[in-house]
Amino acid sequence: MQVEVEKSGKVYTVIINRPEVKNAVDYETSRQLAEAFRAFEADDTAFAAVLWGAHGTFCAGADLKALASDPMQEALRLNEDMVKDGPLGPTRMLLSKPVIAAISGYCVAGGLELAIWCDLRVAEDDAVLGIFERRFGVPLIDGGTQRLPRLIGMSRALDMILTGRPVGAREAYEMGLVNRVVDKGKAREAAEELADQLCEFPQTCMRNDRKALYRGIGRPFDAGLELEYRLGIETLESGESVSGAGRFTQGEGKHGSF
């Protein structure tokens, strides 16, 4: 299996395991990634996921050797039907639950597109991110042109997209491309700890707030506020807020403690 899944409690970890090609993604790997995240979405006992590349590399992007050797098979991943999977698998999905990228080594080309599909990114301090496919005429086709500027702004996104230059973990943190920087070898552990924290929050509220952000960001401001209100009312009607207010009045969580 090119993609493996390990589950611990409410955390679902998806692992790319193709060390011989630095976890590059071919057609079969993309299919397995998509299936893994569909299974996560359908699993009511899994509240958050982590995406990690085994053997010290997150993902080197699309497998260009596979593309060169069997272009018709690889082309099966390319389609204009947005209902279908993206070329790298899950990149056209909007899940209802959060996913955290655990980045070690190289996170480049389509690997970067997989990472920015995730909600949050935890990177090891020697990680390298970049759009390395710039050198080979391979386009961003898994959401990179749309997600990257939303994360870091148009100017910084253009710098990365036009030049293809490598960006280290510290610079990526400063520009908002990654959310946490950890010691070498600690990305998966730190990402799973963060996922555990997300699992402990009231889930209807967290997921609806997340949904309001994703569904509202491209709408006119008033329409975004209306969406936020409707989802907020749904959360209030779930009883989570009343329950949380009761716990607060009993002393839980005061002074900002989590």
Side-chain angles (χ1 to χ4, degrees):
M1 293 288 288
Q2 292 94 322
V3 175
E4 301 170 0
V5 172
E6 295 179 7
K7 188 177 177 185
S8 177
K10 300 172 184 176
V11 176
Y12 190 100
T13 299
V14 178
I15 303 165
I16 307 173
N17 190 15
R18 299 190 76 214
E20 70 281 4
V21 289
K22 300 294 185 183
N23 292 331
V25 176
D26 62 0
Y27 172 75
E28 179 59 22
T29 308
S30 74
R31 188 191 66 78
Q32 291 181 24
L33 280 170
E35 288 302 314
F37 280 105
R38 267 192 283 273
F40 162 66
E41 179 74 359
D43 187 344
D44 291 337
T45 68
F47 288 5
V50 169
L51 176 59
W52 179 66
H55 307 286
T57 298
F58 179 74
C59 176
D63 188 339
L64 298 187
K65 290 182 180 179
L67 179 63
S69 65
D70 194 353
M72 291 308 296
Q73 172 68 14
E74 292 302 300
L76 292 175
R77 293 187 288 159
L78 305 178
N79 61 79
E80 296 180 358
D81 183 352
M82 296 303 290
V83 174
K84 294 182 180 179
D85 296 333
L88 291 181
T91 52
R92 291 178 181 169
M93 298 178 184
L94 179 56
L95 304 180
S96 65
K97 300 176 283 191
V99 181
I100 302 170
I103 300 170
S104 57
Y106 283 97
C107 171
V108 297
L112 179 64
E113 292 186 279
L114 280 172
I116 63 176
W117 168 74
C118 299
D119 297 272
L120 300 172
R121 284 149 294 282
V122 176
E124 294 177 7
D125 55 15
D126 65 344
V128 175
L129 300 87
I131 299 169
F132 284 15
E133 70 267 51
R134 180 56 56 235
R135 298 167 293 172
F136 304 113
V138 177
L140 291 164
I141 201 167
D142 279 272
T145 64
Q146 301 306 301
R147 293 188 177 103
L148 192 60
R150 284 170 166 82
L151 287 173
I152 65 175
M154 183 178 288
S155 178
R156 286 186 169 119
L158 282 169
D159 182 15
M160 292 186 68
I161 289 170
L162 295 179
T163 70
R165 69 179 181 88
V167 173
R170 294 292 172 184
E171 182 184 359
Y173 175 77
E174 290 169 0
M175 67 170 63
L177 181 53
V178 303
N179 304 93
R180 310 278 193 279
V181 177
V182 298
D183 292 339
K184 181 178 175 63
K186 297 293 186 181
R188 178 178 176 178
E189 178 184 345
E192 288 177 342
E193 287 177 357
L194 180 55
D196 268 326
Q197 293 175 21
L198 301 186
C199 290
E200 296 309 308
F201 292 133
Q203 291 297 298
T204 299
C205 182
M206 186 185 73
R207 293 179 194 180
N208 276 348
D209 284 352
R210 175 182 176 274
K211 184 176 181 180
L213 188 155
Y214 277 120
R215 294 298 190 190
I217 197 167
R219 303 187 185 202
F221 188 70
D222 288 348
L225 286 178
E226 180 183 354
L227 173 65
E228 179 189 77
Y229 176 77
R230 285 193 285 105
L231 290 169
I233 291 297
E234 181 181 302
T235 298
L236 290 170
E237 290 175 344
S238 75
E240 276 190 356
S241 303
V242 172
S243 174
R247 288 186 284 110
F248 179 80
T249 59
Q250 293 171 13
E252 182 180 332
K254 292 187 177 180
H255 310 295
S257 64
F258 278 75

